[in-house]
Structures are given as C-alpha cells and as structure tokens.
Amino acid sequence: MGAKKEIIFITTNKDKVKEIQDLADAESKRIKIEHLEYDYPELQLAEIESVAKESANYIREKMTIKKPFFLEDSGLLIHALNGFPGPFSAFVFDKIGNEGILKLMADKKGEERKATFKTVVAFCESRKAVPVLFVGTAEGEIAEEIRGGGGFGYDPIFEFEGTGKTFAELSTEEKNKISHRGRAFRKLLDYLSI
Ligand code: ITT
C-alpha cells in the first residue's frame, strides 16, 4: 500500500472534525485528514452550494496552502418555512437555538414538519484548481421536543426519516452512515478513488 493521501479540512467546528475523522477511518485506509482551524468569512448567499464554493475560492486567493483541501457548508432546510434557515443556519442557531426553532414550528403538524439536512463539500486539489462540489442530504422531520445527548447543533431536533430517533440519539458511527455529511464525504472519497 502506498503513502496515504493527505488532505486538509478547514473548519472552526470541532464536532465536524470528529465526524470527518471517524468517517475517514471507517471508509478508507488511504486518506489522512489534517485539521486546519481557520475562520474564513462566511458569505451570506442564498444557496449552501454558493457559500461552500465561494468560501473555497476565498481560501484559494488568501492562503498559501500547499496540499489538497476541502471545507464544507451545512444547513437545515425546513420545508414549511421555504427552506429556512438553510444557508443562515449558523446565524440562526446562535440567535435562537433549537428552542427557537421549536417555537417557530409550534403550529406545524405531520408533513409540515419535514426537513432536509444538507452538506456541500468544496474540494480543491490545489490552490489553482477550481472547487469541486459534493452534495449530501438527509431527510427527516423536526421533532416535537429536544431529544438525545449526542451530536451537536440541530441534531437534538432532527428526527431521521422512518426511525423516530433524532441524530442526537445516535452514536457518531450511526449518524455517519446515514447523515448528509457522511453522504457528501463518501462522494468525495469516490471521486478521489481512495
Ligand atoms: P465552519 O463554517 O467553520 O465549518 P460552522 O459551525 O459555522 O463551522 P456551518 O456554517 O456549516 O458550520 O454550520 C451551520 C450550522 O448548522 C451550525 O450552527 C452548525 O452547528 C449546524 N450544523 C452543521 N452540521 C450539523 C449537523 O451534522 N448536525 C447538526 N447541526 C449541524
């Protein structure tokens, strides 16, 4: 077996790092993820894809980074709220948290509670390469109450479809198998053939 491919993952979110490291260990023996903590300015664009792409372009321009790298932008899209908070998920989480989302959803029943979690990975083989995007989604619904001690962010209110369990009630390993992030990251591994 040859040397492992070293790829830099740029994020300020330690929970994302844990999930990605666990995914890399579980899915491939030929990849090594190095975490770079860097707080790039998050553009307030209307699509998660655009945020991921333009963030990668910002890093290509501003940083001398010598290895392949990726970052990802994730968001929760609540169908009855026309995809809100979507690309504004970090801002909304900081301002109103899971309790605030549950209040917004108080009069919503059944189908009206449907939601999609989405991750867009933006990967650059080098500073010169335009970002390649990989999208992963998970379908579910907004729970009636906060449940589970694991996960992070919106996990305690996102019930994965057909299971009745929130992401916060799953182990990292279980969440990775079915999550938006797991799906997007496995597409990156397929693309790299590793
Ligand atoms: P970076 O931009 O530095 O990577 P961040 O935490 O700001 O870190 P995002 O903008 O992608 O990352 O995240 C948007 C929000 O969605 C933020 O509040 C996260 O906590 C939350 N989030 C992201 N992925 C999640 C997941 O798998 N489960 C629950 N919440 C998640």
Side-chain angles (χ1 to χ4, degrees):
M1 195 176 73
K4 291 189 178 194
K5 186 174 176 81
E6 293 177 7
I7 301 186
I8 296 175
F9 177 32
I10 303 172
T11 179
T12 59
N13 184 322
K14 295 205 164 48
D15 297 297
K16 285 187 184 178
V17 177
K18 168 148 182 45
E19 289 189 6
I20 291 287
Q21 293 285 15
D22 282 18
L23 269 163
D25 291 346
E27 301 284 337
S28 171
K29 306 235 173 308
R30 295 172 48 214
I31 185 168
K32 182 165 178 249
I33 305 287
E34 290 174 18
H35 174 212
L36 174 63
E37 180 154 356
Y38 175 63
D39 197 5
Y40 51 87
E42 198 159 301
L43 301 160
Q44 297 285 270
L45 303 170
E47 301 292 336
I48 293 174
E49 282 83 350
S50 317
V51 176
K53 184 172 151 209
E54 293 315 326
S55 300
N57 281 332
Y58 177 89
I59 284 164
R60 287 169 68 210
E61 198 179 307
K62 299 279 180 209
M63 294 178 78
T64 38
I65 194 159
K66 297 217 167 63
K67 288 181 185 167
F69 70 89
F70 72 99
L71 51 80
E72 57 105 301
D73 195 57
S74 296
L76 178 66
L77 294 90
I78 301 174
H79 301 193
L81 304 181
N82 293 329
F84 178 85
F88 311 110
S89 291
F91 178 80
V92 170
F93 189 79
D94 286 349
K95 294 291 175 202
I96 64 171
N98 286 328
E99 286 87 357
I101 296 285
L102 291 182
K103 276 191 201 149
L104 287 176
M105 297 296 289
D107 65 339
K108 305 280 187 280
K109 300 271 166 271
E111 294 276 303
E112 290 178 323
R113 301 190 74 86
K114 286 198 177 300
T116 303
F117 236 128
K118 187 176 196 176
T119 290
V120 180
V121 166
F123 170 78
C124 294
E125 184 62 46
S126 76
R127 270 188 80 192
K128 290 195 183 130
V130 292
V132 186
L133 304 185
F134 303 94
V135 182
T137 56
E139 301 300 328
E141 49 195 71
I142 303 301
E144 299 280 349
E145 70 287 300
I146 287 171
R147 290 202 326 267
F152 67 99
Y154 296 105
D155 281 345
I157 60 163
F158 184 81
E159 236 176 59
F160 185 68
E161 63 178 352
T163 65
K165 281 193 179 180
T166 68
F167 272 167
E169 292 177 305
L170 304 179
S171 65
T172 302
E173 193 187 353
E174 289 168 327
K175 181 184 166 189
N176 274 343
K177 281 190 187 138
I178 53 174
S179 77
H180 44 304
R181 180 164 296 103
R183 287 171 176 166
F185 185 71
R186 278 190 290 273
K187 286 185 186 173
L188 170 63
L189 294 181
D190 281 351
Y191 171 80
L192 296 170
S193 305
I194 53 180

